[in-house]
């Protein structure tokens, strides 16, 4: 079996960075998500509350097209990512804060150690919708998939 390398790059800032999931997009770009302590990873606001969740899109030459921090006063991480047939990017992760700027249902009471949140961005990086998924114990997101109808 022949194997060839498509490309190679470094992705990160001056702190600790962890990519948790990656998804191929129809236009040759890649969606990635994870967590970071690098305030210089993107130019938008970094809350500085421990680990900050991030989502980014990189192009086929590994340049960052857009990237967003998602965080509150404690630690957050995005653990899974998928793309709908329409090109929307859906990602899910967990929050220890319960307060995330721009996330619907934010300021929820943390019932366990963490709560799940789900975010949907369009191809240009604008937030379409968001929500917390809260239960009576610790919640976490392990995987997410979109079907051919755009449901996940």
């Amino acid at each position: 079996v022949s194997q060839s390398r498509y490309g190679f790059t470094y992705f990160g800032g001056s702190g600790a960075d962890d990519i948790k999931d990656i998804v191929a997009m129809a236009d040759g770009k890649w969606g990635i998500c994870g967590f970071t302590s690098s305030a210089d990873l993107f130019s938008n606001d970094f809350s500085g509350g421990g680990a900050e969740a991030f989502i980014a899109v990189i192009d086929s030459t590994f340049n960052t097209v857009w990237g967003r921090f998602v965080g509150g006063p404690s630690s957050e991480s995005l653990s899974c990512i998928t793309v709908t047939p329409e090109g929307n990017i859906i990602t899910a992760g967990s929050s220890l804060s319960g307060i995330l700027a721009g996330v619907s249902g934010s300021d929820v009471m943390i019932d366990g150690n963490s709560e799940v949140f789900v975010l949907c961005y369009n191809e240009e990086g604008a937030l379409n919708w968001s929500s917390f998924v809260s239960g009576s114990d610790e919640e976490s997101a392990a995987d997410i998939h979109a079907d051919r109808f755009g449901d996940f």
Side-chain angles (χ1 to χ4, degrees):
V1 173
S2 174
Q3 294 182 1
S4 62
R5 182 178 294 177
Y6 177 75
F8 177 81
T9 191
Y10 291 99
F11 182 87
S14 60
D17 308 295
D18 191 353
I19 295 174
K20 301 304 280 183
D21 202 7
I22 186 166
V23 64
M25 300 170 69
D27 58 2
K29 295 176 185 153
W30 300 88
I32 59 175
C33 68
F35 64 90
T36 184
S37 65
S38 299
D40 59 348
L41 188 59
F42 308 120
S43 61
N44 58 315
D45 291 337
F46 181 83
S47 74
E52 189 98 341
F54 74 84
I55 178 174
V57 169
I58 57 175
D59 65 21
S60 60
T61 58
F62 304 110
N63 295 306
T64 302
V65 177
W66 59 264
R68 305 284 181 269
F69 292 117
V70 181
S74 194
S75 294
E76 282 71 42
S77 177
L78 287 168
S79 54
C80 48
I81 189 169
T82 191
V83 177
T84 68
E86 300 83 22
N88 290 318
I89 303 159
I90 300 173
T91 186
S94 59
S95 170
L96 297 177
S97 299
I99 302 171
L100 301 176
V103 176
S104 300
S106 193
D107 199 12
V108 299
M109 178 179 288
I110 299 289
D111 295 326
N113 287 331
S114 65
E115 304 298 334
V116 168
F117 62 100
V118 182
L119 308 167
C120 178
Y121 291 88
N122 69 16
E123 294 176 30
E124 290 79 38
L127 184 65
N128 288 338
W129 57 262
S130 59
S131 183
F132 267 97
V133 181
S134 180
S136 61
D137 203 351
E138 182 175 336
E139 287 77 39
S140 63
D143 205 1
I144 192 167
H145 295 279
D147 65 19
R148 62 187 172 112
F149 303 109
D151 298 323
F152 62 95

